[in-house]
Amino acid sequence: MRTLVMATVGLPTIVLTAAVVMLVCFWLLVAVRLTAADTFDEDADLGPWGMGGVPVAVALSLLTSVAWLLSVGGTLALTALALPDLAAGLLRLAGWRA
């Protein structure tokens, strides 16, 4: 459990953790009807990303959540594979037997 907490509040994941906290706060405001989910729809065009029909808040929430999960998962994977020597750890990650 300590490793998971350290992965979420360590660099570089802390930046994405702050963004996820902001997303949760935004969606709580939407849930209690203090703001609308389509607040940002006029500000951005997501057509070039292939998300033309998706509301901006939903698209950014999804992208941020996936980025956060990949960052935490990558940090946990590197922590599990860590060896005292960084080069040996990277070789082990690449599939080489050290």
Side-chain angles (χ1 to χ4, degrees), residues 9-78:
V9 297
L11 285 175
T13 312
I14 188 68
V15 176
L16 293 169
T17 300
V20 168
V21 169
M22 290 173 50
L23 284 175
V24 168
C25 291
F26 173 74
W27 286 111
L28 285 174
L29 289 174
V30 170
V32 295
R33 296 183 187 248
L34 291 176
T35 190
D38 61 351
T39 304
F40 305 107
D41 283 348
E42 294 84 20
D43 298 334
D45 178 26
L46 297 177
W49 289 23
M51 298 182 189
V54 178
V56 175
V58 173
L60 290 179
S61 296
L62 180 67
L63 290 174
T64 304
S65 300
V66 168
W68 184 83
L69 286 171
L70 288 173
S71 182
V72 170
T75 302
L76 291 174
L78 287 175

